[in-house]
Amino acid sequence: MKNIVITIARQYGSGGKTIGEMLAERLNVHFYNKELMKLASEDSGISEALFVNADERSKGSWRFGTPNVYTGELIPPESDDFTSPDNLFNYQAKVIKRLAEEQSCVIVGRCADFVLKDYDNVLSVFVHAPHDFCMEQAAKKHSMSQKELEKFILKTDKFRAEYYKYHTGREWTDARNYDLCLDSSKLGFERCVDEIIAYMNVRFK
């Protein structure tokens, strides 16, 4: 098989992003996260600032309504909805598909597991951990009181769950959405990488 793509969804504080970066380095492939917004901007001609603003606004007070499940369609430039949050997602999904066809890589977030669900060269991973572990890891990055940090984690995970449900129609934490679910508190980041690679070796021979 020419290209292998690993998608990683993760609870905040579980270390999923770090595991993704470590995995990409071990496999000597590219790691994609926020860079997807830049690539989508270049592909669509839509200002990167709009992608960034939509991303930040989504994490704030904006709430998702009835799910608008991604189908692969793009809204044309002549439409008033060309720069809508839905179409910004569509273009990021288009980039994710192109990457999966062109190269081996690790992609974090952006519902990549769902966008690539029909690709046979994709391994989808969900990284999770108990609340106390996520709090401990998050405290290393943020100077907040315990109460503020707990609120921040809950808000971030709530956004990720709503974002996933809106674009996929599925529950974010449902293990059936993924090939592999890992508790990073039990394995540690390095062994999570080991397990993903071991699964890859079995799955893709």
Side-chain angles (χ1 to χ4, degrees):
M1 186 170 290
K2 186 177 179 182
N3 303 324
I4 296 176
V5 177
I6 301 95
T7 68
I8 298 181
R10 74 287 185 217
Q11 288 183 312
Y12 192 87
S14 67
K17 178 174 174 286
T18 300
I19 290 167
E21 291 171 330
M22 293 169 62
L23 177 65
E25 184 175 0
R26 182 94 72 86
L27 297 174
N28 194 28
V29 300
H30 204 97
F31 173 82
Y32 291 98
N33 185 14
K34 291 185 179 297
E35 187 180 349
L36 290 170
M37 291 186 283
K38 178 182 179 180
L39 296 175
S41 171
E42 293 172 353
D43 184 83
S44 64
I46 299 172
S47 169
E48 184 179 351
L50 289 179
F51 285 92
V52 174
N53 289 340
D55 193 55
E56 293 304 316
R57 185 170 67 251
S58 296
K59 294 175 182 176
S61 59
W62 191 59
R63 287 289 173 264
F64 298 99
T66 303
N68 183 23
V69 178
Y70 171 72
T71 60
E73 296 180 5
L74 295 170
I75 300 173
E78 59 271 18
S79 170
D80 291 339
D81 292 327
F82 181 61
T83 59
S84 66
D86 286 340
N87 208 35
L88 297 179
F89 178 88
N90 293 342
Y91 269 101
Q92 289 183 84
K94 180 186 176 185
V95 167
I96 288 170
K97 287 181 175 180
R98 189 183 74 217
L99 292 173
E101 292 164 1
E102 295 177 349
Q103 61 180 266
S104 294
C105 59
V106 177
I107 302 174
V108 168
R110 301 301 191 280
C111 306
D113 61 283
F114 182 82
V115 172
L116 300 176
K117 61 184 172 59
D118 296 324
Y119 286 60
D120 60 6
N121 64 328
V122 175
L123 166 59
S124 59
V125 180
F126 184 77
V127 180
H128 60 96
H131 175 72
D132 289 348
F133 180 86
C134 292
M135 286 282 289
E136 180 183 333
Q137 294 300 311
K140 296 177 181 179
K141 296 183 178 181
H142 302 283
S143 298
M144 300 180 183
S145 67
Q146 185 168 346
K147 187 174 182 180
E148 289 173 332
L149 193 60
E150 186 166 21
K151 185 177 180 181
F152 176 78
I153 291 175
L154 289 173
K155 182 178 180 181
T156 302
D157 280 348
K158 185 174 187 291
F159 159 74
R160 289 178 178 175
E162 290 177 350
Y163 179 91
Y164 191 87
K165 181 68 175 286
Y166 179 78
H167 290 295
T168 72
R170 298 178 176 184
E171 296 300 326
W172 179 54
T173 55
D174 189 337
R176 292 172 295 183
N177 298 332
Y178 310 98
D179 297 309
L180 188 62
C181 295
L182 298 171
D183 183 338
S184 57
S185 72
K186 293 179 178 177
L187 294 176
F189 298 166
E190 195 71 44
R191 286 191 62 191
C192 281
V193 173
D194 292 341
E195 289 301 316
I196 295 170
I197 292 176
Y199 190 106
M200 285 174 56
N201 290 334
V202 174
R203 166 86 175 272
F204 301 113
K205 296 182 174 59

